[in-house]
Amino acid sequence: PPIALKPVEAQVLRGQSPVLQWTAAEEASAYRLEIASDKNFSQSLLDRTVTETQFDTTSLSALGNYYWRLSSIANDGEVGPVGPIRSYQIKAIPEKVDASLSAEEDGLLMATWNASSTEQHYQVQIANDRAFSDIIIDKTVKEPQFAFEPFKDTPRYLRVKSIEQDGYDGPWGATQTIEPLPKEPFNFWPLGLWTIFTIILI
């Protein structure tokens, strides 16, 4: 039987189905490709004769586990032994994490967002610019929330993304603007006293 090349065994794909690839077997004019949803191939999804050494599985794009195997077919139609069973999994692309900001009673700011899975972690970044080229906070948290001190002077920017259990990074959510603390009003009283004192001296 031909040797399966791609995808690698037990590979996880996000939001897309793979192109199966294998080696050209000597004296084979075609190949029998079988794809099923179980290891025993009792739930067959595809059983097809192909002449090339690859097959696009776009038509099998549902989320879940897939199992596939190959056999060589000679010019006289004889089908050779079945090769090893290979598997892959299709998972959904994680949704964007959109955080919202609120002020806490203790004076901290709290960023919160909806958790789609208890197995996810989250990466939180706060930067001085919208392009996040000047990052001042970069934390990975387990809970769908992050508390931090308010900032002064200029706005800062916050974004969040999910990290799946297998290490896959989801897309960044919408950028949130963190407004700075309001400036304290200027106290003119000391200046007024100094002016009166100067007039008295003159």
Side-chain angles (χ1 to χ4, degrees):
I3 299 173
L5 299 176
K6 293 183 179 181
V8 298
E9 172 58 13
Q11 183 173 345
V12 176
L13 300 107
R14 293 283 178 173
Q16 62 178 352
S17 52
V19 175
L20 307 180
Q21 298 181 28
W22 56 89
T23 60
E26 188 175 356
E27 298 182 1
S29 61
Y31 306 93
R32 181 188 181 188
L33 171 64
E34 298 175 84
I35 303 177
S37 59
D38 66 309
K39 292 181 180 180
N40 298 323
F41 284 79
S42 60
Q43 302 295 325
S44 177
L45 300 174
L46 181 141
D47 190 342
R48 186 173 300 181
T49 298
V50 295
T51 56
E52 298 181 351
T53 56
Q54 64 179 27
F55 181 80
D56 191 342
T57 63
T58 301
S59 60
L60 301 173
S61 58
L63 303 182
N65 293 302
Y66 292 84
Y67 302 87
W68 61 294
R69 61 188 180 185
L70 293 159
S71 305
S72 297
I73 302 176
N75 289 325
D76 59 4
E78 181 183 357
V79 180
V82 178
I85 297 173
R86 301 288 291 269
S87 67
Y88 62 90
Q89 184 179 15
I90 300 177
K91 287 186 176 182
I93 297 175
E95 296 181 358
K96 289 184 177 181
V97 178
D98 290 329
S100 59
L101 295 171
S102 61
E104 298 294 292
E105 293 182 357
D106 56 6
L108 296 177
L109 294 179
M110 179 71 76
T112 58
W113 53 90
N114 291 328
S116 59
S117 170
T118 58
E119 298 176 350
Q120 287 179 329
H121 286 70
Y122 306 92
Q123 184 176 358
V124 182
Q125 288 186 344
I126 299 177
N128 285 321
D129 61 313
R130 281 189 173 274
F132 286 83
S133 58
D134 184 12
I135 297 174
I136 55 178
I137 294 177
D138 191 347
K139 296 286 187 181
T140 299
V141 297
K142 174 62 176 176
E143 301 300 325
Q145 61 182 29
F146 181 71
F148 56 94
E149 295 280 352
F151 296 98
K152 297 181 179 180
D153 304 326
T154 59
R156 267 69 169 190
Y157 304 93
L158 176 144
R159 64 182 182 181
V160 183
K161 70 176 179 181
S162 63
I163 303 174
E164 298 298 306
Q165 190 178 27
D166 59 7
Y168 182 85
D169 287 355
W172 288 109
T175 298
Q176 301 293 331
T177 302
I178 307 170
E179 297 295 341
L181 291 172
K183 294 183 179 179
E184 296 181 2
F186 185 76
N187 191 348
F188 290 93
W189 177 244
L191 180 60
L193 280 178
W194 176 252
T195 303
I196 295 173
F197 183 68
T198 302
I199 294 175
I200 293 174
L201 287 178
I202 292 174

